[in-house]
Amino acid sequence: MRVTGERRSGILLHPTSLPGDDTGDLGAQAYRFVDWLALAGQTLWQLLPLVAVDDYGIPYNGLSAFAGNTLLLSPDLLVEDGLLDEDEARPPHPFDPSCADFAGAARWKEPLLARAHAAFRVSASPGLRAGFAEYREREAAWLDDWTLFRALRNEFAGRPWTEWPQPLRAREPGALAEARRRHADELDGHALGQFLFDRQWSELRRYANGLGIYLIGDVPLFLAHDSADVWAHPEMFYLDEAGLPTVVSGVPPDYFSENGQRWGNPLYRWDVHARDGYRWWTDRFRRTLEMVDMARIDHFRGLESYWEVPAHEPTALRGRWVPGPGAELFAAMERELGPLPLIAEDLGIITPQVEALRDGLRLPGMRVLQFAFGHDDPTNPHLPANYVRETVAYTGTHDNNTAMGWYRDEASPRERAALDALSGGGGGGEPNWEMIGVVLRSLADVAVIPLQDVLGLGTEARMNRPGSAAPHWRWRFRDSDLTRELAARLRELTAATGRLHGEERR
């Protein structure tokens, strides 16, 4: 599916923000959200990365480029598969309905998945067994490394792989074979978890597509150092003999942080990736696009050139720009995958070279309304007057404050006045709807609104604050928030701005 080409709109919401017992899951509340999107006339659901995460739940610091987040598994759907009984599917204690608890979810769901695995071995249906066998064979290239990484991470009490015994750190064949024998049952259980995640996700996607709703996924540019991929393929990253990064990712000072951001992810050895035609990247994008209809490339500018920070530096200030793979990477992937339905996250320090790469690949970029009012620059690309059709426009992203939080807590009087003048608003009674209206009326083919902005929530509902050490990624909405009246209001505005589709399906 092409990203642009006709006027569409949708909602940005990560599944961990869904109501539910612990972190949100792929069960009834996910289907209810899809139904509400259809009722509201939306045709896009944008997500953050669906990758496996640690106890902090950061989807941009994934433990794998391929493995799904099994914390999102729905216990109720496992009951339907005959792998749990109803009593087992209930959480042992109440979770906070307004705040995702990733560590608590892991303590509950990992033993739950072990019980489902035990039931699978005894009583799984022939169809489920056949599906699992086919899945393990098809995904073995990444799945075998992921399951062993998970088992060893458990064996060594969550310590990073650089602190494992040397034979396992160095992936000596004999040590790996012995570990596979030692953990054979656990490996099977982790593989089953991935199969069940893919199964539940595929059913949800099929349901959404059936209602004319398409899914926008997300490909983080970088991985956590303590990840299955870095452990399995150390030659693809800049690491020393102990497996530690010699240089790490980050960005110089920008509008998110005056001191820059030292992200700390290991950096790719692009020369090594080029030697085999970027096989790992092709496999990574293939898997992503098997799960979603289109995908956003996070930190797209890092593929043109990236900010390299010496690993010993405590901040990102003393870095340098280093060339990335550019169009060569995309040419290699398109030779195998065909045209790629992608969005370039072209925020931050964007140069003419980054714009040329984006435009040469014919990828839509991103425009964020919150960035339109900070200074007097008629060429500011975030001003709606400067949008082009091949654009995905947002009120804000997961890295921004909410619309209400920005207006009330961050925007200057001058910025508020500029918004009111642009929207025709009367002084900020509902600035979130002023901003939604501006974005939906814009020339951009695609408009995406964070659910927090539709709900009119403030700073308390912010998803992430780049450069801050405070807990993030934890916001969740409540079951009662998605009303028919709210859907009707959004649908009416969607229709008035020419973004309504598929009346025959309603």
Side-chain angles (χ1 to χ4, degrees), residues 9-13 17-19 27-46 204 207-208 211-214 432-433 436 440 447-457 475 477-494 500-501 505-506:
S9 64
I11 297 294
L12 169 61
L13 180 84
S17 294
L18 292 164
Q29 290 289 353
Y31 285 82
R32 181 174 181 267
F33 176 65
V34 170
D35 289 339
W36 186 87
L37 287 176
L39 191 65
Q42 305 308 296
T43 52
L44 299 170
W45 177 7
Q46 182 168 339
L204 179 61
Y207 182 80
L211 292 177
I213 296 166
Y214 299 95
N432 57 315
W433 282 101
I436 292 169
L440 290 182
V448 177
I449 313 298
L451 184 64
Q452 294 98 313
D453 292 352
V454 178
L455 296 175
L457 301 177
W475 173 77
F477 73 90
R478 295 178 181 269
D479 182 51
S480 58
D481 288 339
L482 299 186
T483 64
R484 297 184 67 87
E485 293 76 17
L486 189 64
R489 182 175 187 179
L490 182 57
R491 184 185 185 89
E492 181 179 359
L493 185 55
T494 302
L500 197 61
H501 289 262
R505 292 191 291 267
R506 305 292 187 259

Side-chain angles (χ1 to χ4, degrees), residues 152 161-176 231-235 241-243:
L152 291 173
W161 64 268
T162 50
E163 297 179 13
W164 298 350
Q166 171 60 23
L168 292 171
R169 287 204 312 268
R171 293 180 59 84
E172 294 178 7
L176 296 183
W231 171 65
H233 306 286
E235 73 284 355
E241 292 184 358

Side-chain angles (χ1 to χ4, degrees), residues 229-305:
D229 300 86
V230 179
W231 171 65
H233 306 286
E235 73 284 355
M236 299 195 312
F237 302 86
Y238 284 105
L239 307 177
D240 62 19
E241 292 184 358
L244 298 172
T246 58
V247 288
V248 296
S249 65
V251 289
D254 61 10
Y255 44 61
F256 283 127
S257 173
E258 63 181 12
N259 295 315
Q261 298 174 53
R262 185 190 183 279
W263 294 334
N265 311 84
L267 293 174
Y268 300 105
R269 291 193 55 186
W270 288 113
D271 58 329
V272 173
H273 289 266
R275 285 176 203 155
D276 69 356
Y278 300 97
R279 168 61 51 192
W280 182 84
W281 285 91
T282 300
D283 291 344
R284 185 183 186 190
F285 273 76
R286 177 188 290 111
R287 174 154 171 80
T288 297
L289 293 172
E290 287 171 350
M291 300 178 69
V292 295
D293 300 292
M294 58 198 84
R296 188 192 84 129
I297 305 176
D298 183 61
H299 199 54
F300 171 81
R301 75 102 55 243
L303 296 173
E304 190 281 324
S305 58

Side-chain angles (χ1 to χ4, degrees), residues 154-233:
N154 288 342
E155 178 179 353
F156 298 114
R159 298 204 306 273
W161 64 268
T162 50
E163 297 179 13
W164 298 350
Q166 171 60 23
L168 292 171
R169 287 204 312 268
R171 293 180 59 84
E172 294 178 7
L176 296 183
E178 170 56 29
R180 292 188 188 282
R181 286 191 294 271
R182 187 166 70 248
H183 295 293
D185 185 65
E186 187 179 353
L187 301 184
D188 194 62
H190 290 310
L192 179 66
Q194 289 300 311
F195 166 68
L196 294 171
F197 172 84
D198 275 27
R199 190 165 180 268
Q200 290 190 7
W201 180 257
S202 295
E203 287 297 321
L204 179 61
R205 179 189 177 191
R206 189 176 300 115
Y207 182 80
N209 287 172
L211 292 177
I213 296 166
Y214 299 95
L215 306 184
I216 304 175
D218 201 310
V219 181
L221 183 57
F222 299 118
L223 296 171
H225 172 246
D226 188 27
S227 65
D229 300 86
V230 179
W231 171 65
H233 306 286

